[in-house]
Amino acid sequence: MTLPLITLSALAAAGLYSLRFLRISFRTVEIAAAFMILCSLIIEVYGMITLNLDLLKHSSMFTGYWYINLYLLILVPCVTLWLIAALFSPAVPFFAKALLIVSWLCGNYGGELLMNAWGILTFDHWNIAYSCLDWLILLTLSVCFIYGFRKMWRKQVSR
């Protein structure tokens, strides 16, 4: 089980390093704020699903904790920020944006299935529709936050 953990750690480190290239489309403050709000939203939604609804159960293994945190709190926000940068870019056509959203959804559900296959997450009355709804709510809230943050930032700068 250490090879997947090393691979996931390397992917998470690469994701964090790649955020510096987002400064082409976002300000550093926007990247930091969006990353923090994404982590907060993920923790809240994951907490509601696992603790309150008992639809997902996580493993009590020590390495399972690291798998879940590396995946949900580093890798998913990094990939989501790249998706949001593509969504805000006027150079990306509409169909490419739709394809990116579908790919993002499939990748996130694939990550959940991988965690399930490794025995880290256990699905209990959970299916792909719930995952898609979960991830789409997360994406919608984060896009709304970034849009509002940019609007507020423009008002502050124009004063």
Side-chain angles (χ1 to χ4, degrees):
M1 277 304 248
T2 58
L3 184 61
L5 186 60
I6 292 170
T7 305
L8 195 59
S9 298
L11 283 173
L16 285 175
Y17 182 75
S18 74
L19 291 181
R20 66 187 295 258
F21 299 113
L22 280 177
R23 289 188 297 187
I24 295 169
S25 17
F26 292 129
R27 293 173 186 86
T28 306
V29 173
E30 288 176 319
I31 296 170
F35 191 86
M36 286 188 290
I37 198 72
L38 275 166
C39 287
S40 297
L41 288 171
I42 289 170
I43 287 171
E44 291 300 320
V45 169
Y46 181 74
M48 285 188 300
I49 291 170
T50 57
L51 299 175
N52 295 340
L53 300 176
D54 285 333
L55 295 176
L56 287 175
K57 293 182 172 80
H58 57 83
S59 168
S60 61
M61 296 182 336
F62 178 70
T63 56
Y65 170 80
W66 290 106
Y67 281 111
I68 290 171
N69 282 334
L70 283 173
Y71 175 69
L72 286 177
L73 297 180
I74 296 178
L75 202 56
V76 170
C78 291
V79 173
T80 306
L81 280 174
W82 278 101
L83 173 67
I84 292 171
L87 292 178
F88 277 100
S89 173
V92 179
F94 175 76
F95 292 113
K97 291 177 183 181
L99 185 64
L100 284 172
I101 291 172
V102 169
S103 300
W104 178 79
L105 283 172
C106 291
N108 285 337
Y109 187 66
E112 288 178 353
L113 287 178
L114 193 60
M115 296 287 177
N116 188 22
W118 285 340
I120 296 166
L121 286 178
T122 304
F123 297 152
D124 188 23
H125 304 295
W126 188 257
N127 59 24
I128 192 169
Y130 293 146
S131 282
C132 287
L133 183 64
D134 174 28
W135 292 115
L136 283 175
I137 288 171
L138 177 81
L139 181 65
T140 304
L141 289 174
S142 58
V143 166
C144 290
F145 170 78
I146 291 175
Y147 179 75
F149 189 84
R150 283 186 146 193
K151 201 171 183 180
M152 182 185 68
W153 186 271
R154 278 192 215 116
K155 282 182 183 178
Q156 285 290 39
V157 171
S158 66
R159 283 186 185 183

